């Protein structure tokens, strides 16, 4: 039965992408088929094989070690707050380690390891997805540097890009998550679903973009100019990345305070007026999507509510909500977890448009105009990844 539902889900996702396509006759089906097969193979490898489980456990262990080292610094500054009875505050245990991981990313950038890895993985991807080197580089870089920082590295080309290529770059940035906050996700949901989502979304972004926004990149257009970072001393760079990580932690904390409080307020208003909370109402709207992802119908409304929470607020709020739902089955939890690991929400439209506008005002306005279509495509990527995951749970 789950395979029939998965087939139905794929038909719905590709149908919705096809309806929104701005060049139906330009869609190339061979790269699409290759990438879908790769998604299925990689999902099976990560979720159902000994080698995949081993790799995920090592990846998780590495982040757990980083979190333990981060706690040394957090404990020094905040003292006993990190070890209070009943668990450490969310801000300290989940968000503050972002500072340390950001610093580590800065070091790997400084010694030229990350640029090498990003460039050559992107080159391999470009051979698979049928798109340009710039798009492939951007997808990998987004998953490491983040959805706003990645545009700085390609700012030489931002002003020269036509609308269709700019869409693909922005869609990749919204479909992935930055490595600096992966550790935070792993404290809230099972690490194997975080890793699975990271891998599947990388290909899913190209699959959906190839349908919604198909085009061919000519040999003359297929160039990649990566902006070299301004020369800094090691400690200048380190201080900058530490402060960037701290800013991210503070911004996420502020967003959580605002969104959690507002959702509670809106839930209270809806409950008192119509006898059902706002999240429950959205659950009914998103339940069909949860069902085609492989969630049992009796849990679809609850899962749909969490999915909706992610889209109207952010993934952190939704992950907190999911972690408190103890009555959901392991299958539903896994499918929804994969759906949540992306930046596909309304606030990301503003973040990405603002990042591009800071580099090129005209192009920033272009991104703002196709913002809703960007969210539409990135959301389909999350649904697609969840469907593929559901095949192996």
């Amino acid at each position: 039965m789950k395979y029939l539902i998965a087939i139905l889900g794929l038909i719905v996702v590709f149908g919705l992408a096809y309806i929104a396509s701005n060049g139906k006759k330009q869609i190339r089906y061979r790269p699409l088929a290759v990438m879908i097969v790769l998604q299925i193979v990689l999902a099976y490898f990560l979720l159902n094989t000994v080698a995949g489980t081993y790799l995920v456990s090592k990846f998780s262990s590495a982040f757990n070690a980083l979190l333990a080292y981060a706690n040394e610094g957090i404990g020094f500054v905040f003292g006993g707050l990190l070890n209070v009875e009943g668990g450490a505050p969310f801000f300290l245990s989940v968000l503050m380690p972002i500072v340390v991981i950001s610093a580590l990313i800065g070091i790997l950038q400084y010694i030229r390891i990350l640029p090498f890895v990003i460039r050559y993985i992107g080159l391999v991807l470009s051979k698979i997805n049928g798109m340009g080197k710039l798009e492939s580089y951007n997808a990998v870089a987004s998953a490491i540097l983040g959805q706003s920082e990645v545009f700085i590295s390609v700012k030489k080309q931002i002003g020269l890009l036509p609308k269709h290529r700019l869409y693909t770059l922005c869609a990749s940035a919204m479909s992935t998550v930055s490595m600096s906050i992966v550790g935070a996700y792993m404290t809230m949901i099972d690490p194997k679903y975080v890793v699975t989502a990271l891998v599947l979304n990388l290909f899913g972004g190209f699959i959906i973009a190839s349908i919604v926004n198909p085009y061919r990149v000519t040999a003359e257009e297929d160039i990649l100019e990566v902006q070299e970072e301004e020369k800094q001393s090691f400690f200048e760079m380190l201080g900058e990345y530490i402060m960037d990580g701290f800013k991210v932690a503070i911004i996420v904390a502020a967003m959580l305070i605002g969104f959690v409080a507002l959702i509670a307020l809106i839930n209270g208003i809806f409950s008192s007026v119509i006898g059902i909370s706002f999240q429950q109402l959205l659950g009914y709207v998103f339940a069909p999507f949860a069902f085609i992802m492989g969630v049992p119908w009796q849990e679809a409304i609850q899962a749909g509510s969490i999915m909706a929470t992610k889209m109207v607020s952010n993934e952190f709020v939704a992950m907190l909500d999911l972690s408190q739902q103890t009555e959901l089955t392991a299958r539903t939890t896994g499918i929804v977890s994969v759906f949540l690991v992306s930046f596909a929400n309304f606030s990301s439209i503003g973040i990405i448009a603002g990042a591009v506008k800071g580099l090129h005002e005209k192009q920033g306005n272009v991104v703002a105009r196709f913002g809703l279509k960007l969210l539409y495509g990135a959301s389909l990527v999350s649904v697609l990844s969840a469907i593929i995951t559901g095949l192996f749970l």
Side-chain angles (χ1 to χ4, degrees):
M1 185 65 181
K2 71 177 181 180
Y3 298 110
L4 291 175
I5 292 172
I7 292 170
L8 173 63
L10 291 175
I11 292 170
V12 171
V13 167
F14 294 143
L16 290 173
Y18 187 80
I19 289 169
S21 177
N22 55 20
K24 295 179 176 64
K25 293 182 179 179
Q26 294 177 276
I27 297 172
R28 288 176 289 167
Y29 294 97
R30 185 175 178 180
L32 284 177
V34 170
M35 287 188 284
I36 292 165
V37 170
L38 275 173
Q39 277 195 316
I40 293 170
V41 170
L42 289 168
Y44 174 79
F45 174 75
L46 290 169
L47 297 171
N48 279 25
T49 67
V50 174
T53 303
Y54 176 79
L55 284 177
V56 170
S57 68
K58 288 298 179 184
F59 189 78
S60 174
S61 297
F63 271 94
N64 285 336
L66 284 176
L67 295 176
Y69 294 135
N71 286 340
E72 293 291 324
I74 297 167
F76 179 80
V77 173
F78 293 99
L81 284 176
L82 193 62
N83 300 306
V84 293
E85 189 175 345
F90 181 85
F91 179 72
L92 300 183
S93 62
V94 176
L95 300 185
M96 277 292 96
I98 292 173
V99 176
V100 179
I101 297 173
S102 178
L104 182 61
I105 289 173
I107 293 169
L108 293 175
Q109 279 276 90
Y110 188 82
I111 60 179
R112 313 302 300 161
I113 290 177
L114 278 187
F116 177 83
V117 171
I118 293 169
R119 185 183 288 269
Y120 285 97
I121 292 178
L123 187 62
V124 172
L125 274 179
S126 68
K127 304 296 183 183
I128 297 170
N129 59 38
M131 290 187 167
K133 296 173 185 173
L134 175 62
E135 286 85 346
S136 299
Y137 166 87
N138 185 82
V140 182
S142 296
I144 295 175
L145 303 177
Q147 66 175 336
S148 54
E149 294 85 349
V150 67
F151 294 107
I152 298 172
S153 68
V154 294
K155 67 181 179 181
K156 285 183 179 180
Q157 291 177 261
I158 289 290
L160 306 174
L161 294 175
K163 179 181 176 180
H164 55 271
R165 295 191 74 186
L166 188 60
Y167 176 91
T168 301
L169 262 61
C170 294
S172 294
M174 190 181 280
S175 301
T176 55
V177 294
S178 70
M179 200 59 67
S180 63
I181 59 176
V182 164
Y185 293 157
M186 288 182 174
T187 64
M188 293 183 284
I189 60 177
D190 193 319
K192 70 179 179 183
Y193 299 128
V194 177
V195 177
T196 301
L198 287 173
V199 174
L200 296 185
N201 288 351
L202 190 62
F203 290 100
F206 289 121
I207 291 170
I208 298 302
S210 296
I211 300 172
V212 173
N213 182 49
Y215 58 87
R216 290 181 182 271
V217 178
T218 65
E220 293 76 23
E221 294 174 317
D222 194 16
I223 56 174
L224 173 62
E225 294 183 45
V226 178
Q227 176 73 28
E228 294 291 333
E229 292 193 9
E230 187 179 331
K231 194 65 179 175
Q232 295 176 299
S233 71
F234 177 80
F235 289 103
E236 281 179 313
M237 172 281 303
L238 191 59
E240 185 176 300
Y241 272 86
I242 287 172
M243 287 307 299
D244 285 345
F246 185 72
K247 288 173 187 174
V248 169
I250 294 295
I251 290 169
V252 171
M255 296 281 277
L256 285 173
I257 292 169
F259 277 119
V260 171
L262 284 172
I263 288 173
L265 172 64
I266 295 169
N267 280 340
I269 293 172
F270 271 74
S271 294
S272 61
V273 174
I274 62 175
I276 184 173
S277 72
F278 179 64
Q279 282 178 289
Q280 287 175 314
L281 189 63
L282 288 177
Y284 286 100
V285 176
F286 279 79
F289 291 98
F291 179 72
I292 64 168
M293 282 162 41
V295 173
W297 181 249
Q298 61 269 26
E299 297 177 298
I301 295 172
Q302 206 168 348
S305 175
I306 297 168
M307 292 163 60
T309 298
K310 182 241 180 155
M311 289 192 64
V312 300
S313 56
N314 60 45
E315 70 280 5
F316 277 100
V317 180
M319 286 178 187
L320 284 172
D321 195 3
L322 177 62
S323 65
Q324 295 165 3
Q325 305 298 323
T326 55
E327 66 277 13
L328 293 178
T329 60
R331 175 178 169 80
T332 297
T333 301
I335 291 171
V336 175
S337 293
V338 169
F339 175 86
L340 297 182
V341 183
S342 82
F343 288 141
N345 56 61
F346 283 101
S347 60
S348 286
I349 298 174
I351 292 170
I352 292 174
V356 175
K357 194 166 187 174
L359 300 171
H360 195 285
E361 186 168 355
K362 183 180 177 182
Q363 294 288 59
N365 292 333
V366 171
V367 173
R369 283 195 290 272
F370 61 56
L372 287 176
K373 191 171 185 179
L374 200 59
L375 177 59
Y376 181 84
S379 299
L380 289 178
V381 172
S382 294
V383 174
L384 175 60
S385 295
I387 290 169
I388 300 296
T389 301
L391 287 171
F392 305 106
L393 294 180

